[in-house]
Amino acid sequence: MLAFDYADDFPLHEIAQDQPQRSDIPFDWTLRPSNPPAHQLVTLAMADANAIRNRSKKARRRQQRHESAFEAAVSAIVANVAQAALRSDSTPIHVSRSKVHLERRDRYRQEGETGAFPQRLDELHEAGWIIQTIAPRSTAARRNSSTITAGPALLAHLREQDFQTAAFHQAPVGEVIILKSLRHGQKRSIIDYADTPQTHALREEVTRINHALLQADISVTPEYAHKVDVGRRRLVRSFVDERFDHGGRFGGGFWVPMSKADRFAHLRIDGEPVVELDFKQLHPHIAYALVGEPAPEGDLYDIPGLETVPRETRKTFFNTLLWDERERRSLPKGTREDFPAHLTGRSAAKLVARQHPVIAPLFGTGVGARIMGIESEIMTRILLDLIEAGITGLPIHDAVLIPRSKAFLTTRIMQDAYRDITGQTIRVSRTQGE
């Protein structure tokens, strides 16, 4: 049984989509060369960057303690632009040249992410390894980012040696346990934290999962290979509200932004097509578990009085009530036309509460982030148990992608994990392509 008192929770919010849509892509500090030719490519880039630097009258011998930061920065720069070039992706990669950002002192700062990073960009640009566009200085709240793409020198090396995208991958570096603040307006900020036995345990779990994914046989069909980088497998867990029991969903993984149709058509694990297994009506079930009661049989989103409302809208409305911090008065944005004209947000919420009186006291308390925390705990347990069983699982929120031949065993593993954490049972649904 779940042993905590939800009445003591602080007001919560649904996780915001903090990152706006951009016409460029973020720089990935974890990208590194993965084979000898790629390492040799970075060595050549380092030599050219050093040659540019040593022309300066201010040139001095780089101290040994800075050598690893120099190598890390050049490795990441070359890996990022080379990957994009090998995928024939001309989208610029945005980078920060801000010393305020680069010289911050927190656990999220990567090796190579120093005040000297702009110099590395300038040196590689002058040597022809990258093409850099420096954004003008701005005092606006939203600054434009500088961008980089592959330069002629790098493109020539890539053509000469016939590199493939697998020559670069996400290395097991950097923080994998992310903590975010309470929401301020529509945004959350990433914050630093002190390590505890809990954070050490969380990090060890994610590290173990990432190690297994790095070694796993995960691929896509040849016709789809230019669209994704199958080496992007590094997962992180992001917690919110400055608490390690709120949120915690896994993020990262090249398979996440793929459409469901593309996953079934093109994704392969151990050479097999994949199936998606997920829990049916997970968040309402966890809400019942929180109050120590079993969930009713049937579709929990079937609400008398809302029969004409599309099921997906009913699901959205139900889960919104769990995220709300106060009494619901209006209908969720964009759903007005799905509801009967005579219903308001308050009257529709009363219909849901009448159908589910046991969990009605949770509505308006903002318990959603706590529920998501339990969901992520269950998913972590599933992924670790799959590793023990020799099965590769790829998480997508409350679902997991696995090889078709492992569907039966994985279903048992998922149900066992849910029961062990909540003390209750739940059904698992299966979806697959043709």
Side-chain angles (χ1 to χ4, degrees), residues 366-394:
V367 74
R370 188 65 171 274
I371 289 174
M372 188 174 288
I374 298 165
E375 170 208 286
S376 69
E377 181 184 353
I378 293 168
M379 182 54 64
T380 301
R381 166 71 177 275
I382 290 167
L383 294 176
L384 292 172
D385 287 350
L386 287 174
I387 292 171
E388 288 294 323
I391 301 172
T392 297
L394 308 181

Side-chain angles (χ1 to χ4, degrees), residues 40 52 63 76 126 154-155 181-182 189 229 291 313 338 387:
Q40 180 60 31
I52 298 295
Q63 297 178 26
E126 185 175 347
L154 174 59
L155 292 173
S181 67
L182 293 164
S189 58
D229 169 18
V291 299
T313 302
D338 290 338
I387 292 171

Side-chain angles (χ1 to χ4, degrees), residues 5-13 182 240-243 245-246 322-325 362 364-370:
D5 182 1
Y6 60 81
D8 292 335
D9 283 342
F10 295 104
L12 309 173
H13 292 278
L182 293 164
V240 299
D241 300 332
E242 303 178 22
R243 299 177 57 158
D245 60 349
H246 287 182
L322 294 170
W323 283 99
D324 284 341
E325 295 181 329
L362 295 178
T365 68
V367 74
R370 188 65 171 274

Side-chain angles (χ1 to χ4, degrees), residues 39-57:
H39 280 285
Q40 180 60 31
L41 187 70
V42 169
T43 299
L44 293 173
M46 289 171 58
D48 285 353
N50 263 324
I52 298 295
R53 185 176 187 275
N54 290 335
R55 287 190 214 152
S56 169
K57 293 180 180 179

Side-chain angles (χ1 to χ4, degrees), residues 180-192:
K180 295 185 178 182
S181 67
L182 293 164
R183 190 201 300 258
H184 301 290
Q186 294 300 311
K187 293 185 177 182
R188 299 180 188 272
S189 58
I190 295 176
I191 59 176
D192 206 355

Side-chain angles (χ1 to χ4, degrees), residues 266-322:
H266 301 291
L267 186 58
R268 301 290 184 266
I269 301 177
D270 297 332
E272 293 185 41
V274 300
V275 297
E276 179 180 293
L277 301 179
D278 68 351
F279 294 109
K280 295 183 70 66
Q281 307 154 56
L282 179 60
H283 284 198
H285 274 82
I286 293 177
Y288 272 93
L290 277 168
V291 299
E293 295 290 340
E297 295 293 331
D299 189 346
L300 302 182
Y301 300 126
D302 281 346
I303 310 295
L306 299 181
E307 295 91 346
T308 61
V309 178
R311 185 182 184 278
E312 196 60 32
T313 302
R314 279 182 273 133
K315 175 181 177 180
T316 297
F317 184 72
F318 194 125
N319 290 325
T320 296
L321 296 178
L322 294 170

